[in-house]
Amino acid sequence: MTTLFSSVIRLHALNGGALRHDAGQWANAAFYGILHQVDPPLAEALHQWNGRKPFTISSLNGLPRGDSREVVIPPGWECWLRVTTLGQEIFQPFIQRFIQGGARPQLQLGPIDFGVAEVLTVPGSHPWSGYVESEQLLAQADAAERIELLFASPTAFNVGPRYELVPLPRLVFGQLASKWNAFLPQAIDRESLEAVADEAVMISDFRLQTRTQNWKGRVQNGFTGECVYDLSALGEGQRRLFALLADFAFFAGVGGKTTQGMGQARRVVGSSPG
């Protein structure tokens, strides 16, 4: 049994300054800093981890308006970021930093120090928070003929030497199956799923736009918005499998660089799973 967690960290700026809109690398560094304070070997192991990692990190949300590259944050400004973890092994030391005694925790993102107001993980406490057992996700997977996914932060797929900026069914659900197989039980046949996605899953509607993400001094193109997938040509069991992966996207993220702010995604069903 594996528990999936999504935690929203509510922050307020302790000092003012300028920050890039998509400061995903700063949030990534802050996350590792938290883990290093509590469990240095775990932080180092995750830092050296090759391949897909069992967590995602958003960029800062709720920032003031600014130009295309940076925004000025005044002291006291409230915003939030989100961390998801696939399993207790990372969640427990991560959350321990916020519940242990001592001084109120702070996070540094670039030139700005933020105070932590609260960490929300209980389902319903925030639209992007929650937790669920993997077995529960399996049990509640429905046989919908239509699945809509919201891509809330820039998303892109690494396809050989290039990045694909269209949420093709094979890429979205194949990548989710790969991440499921890496960290959760009840393995999914990825090759068969991708073949089905190519042959029988259609994009029936979309509202997408291109956005850029600053990443380690480089600009990464991605897309955001909503995409609807038509599963009506599939059998009931296949539809349940695609619905399972759509629900899993809330915790797993979609595409590349999900630990630096990209690929924050969720199924649009009125509320988050969990």
Side-chain angles (χ1 to χ4, degrees), residues 204-225:
S204 61
D205 193 14
F206 62 89
R207 297 169 295 280
L208 300 170
Q209 53 277 326
T210 304
R211 276 185 53 193
T212 59
Q213 177 94 359
N214 290 305
W215 188 74
K216 293 186 177 180
R218 301 193 301 272
V219 173
Q220 170 67 59
N221 289 326
F223 61 86
T224 60

Side-chain angles (χ1 to χ4, degrees), residues 23-259:
Q25 70 268 35
W26 301 123
N28 178 276
F31 173 78
Y32 278 112
I34 292 169
L35 285 186
H36 194 269
Q37 293 176 42
V38 181
D39 192 334
L42 175 62
E44 182 61 25
L46 286 175
H47 189 71
Q48 299 299 326
W49 191 301
N50 291 320
R52 303 189 188 282
K53 297 188 177 183
F55 64 93
T56 77
I57 305 170
S58 76
S59 291
L60 275 175
N61 295 278
L63 294 177
R65 292 182 179 273
D67 64 26
S68 60
R69 290 184 299 176
E70 67 178 24
V71 60
V72 175
I73 301 177
W77 188 268
E78 296 182 356
C79 51
W80 58 276
L81 60 83
R82 175 177 181 250
V83 173
T84 72
T85 55
L86 307 181
Q88 296 271 2
E89 295 80 4
I90 301 174
F91 176 75
Q92 289 297 343
F94 164 75
I95 202 67
Q96 182 64 34
R97 174 64 186 91
F98 299 103
I99 63 177
Q100 65 189 11
R104 295 181 66 85
Q106 297 180 14
L107 297 181
Q108 182 178 2
L109 282 81
I112 303 178
D113 293 317
F114 291 88
V116 176
E118 60 182 339
V119 180
L120 305 171
T121 306
V122 175
S125 58
H126 189 279
W128 287 92
S129 70
Y131 59 83
V132 69
E133 304 290 348
S134 56
E135 285 80 358
Q136 184 181 345
L137 274 186
L138 284 162
Q140 72 186 25
D142 59 280
E145 295 188 353
R146 175 184 179 277
I147 285 177
E148 181 176 355
L149 287 177
L150 165 66
F151 301 96
S153 69
T155 304
F157 301 91
N158 190 348
V159 182
R162 62 187 176 86
Y163 283 93
E164 175 62 64
L165 303 184
V166 178
L168 300 173
R170 176 189 180 93
L171 296 177
V172 172
F173 294 99
Q175 187 267 340
L176 286 167
S178 177
K179 199 159 189 180
W180 178 283
N181 288 341
F183 302 110
L184 280 77
Q186 298 92 22
I188 295 170
D189 186 338
R190 177 181 177 179
E191 290 188 5
S192 295
L193 179 135
E194 288 179 334
V196 170
D198 269 342
E199 296 170 5
V201 178
M202 305 296 176
I203 294 176
S204 61
D205 193 14
F206 62 89
R207 297 169 295 280
L208 300 170
Q209 53 277 326
T210 304
R211 276 185 53 193
T212 59
Q213 177 94 359
N214 290 305
W215 188 74
K216 293 186 177 180
R218 301 193 301 272
V219 173
Q220 170 67 59
N221 289 326
F223 61 86
T224 60
E226 299 84 33
C227 189
V228 180
Y229 300 91
D230 183 349
L231 311 180
S232 59
L234 306 183
E236 179 179 341
Q238 291 175 323
R239 295 199 306 272
R240 291 186 185 278
L241 178 56
F242 279 84
L244 167 68
L245 293 173
D247 290 340
F248 181 53
F250 183 78
F251 301 96
V254 175
K257 296 184 174 66
T258 56
T259 63

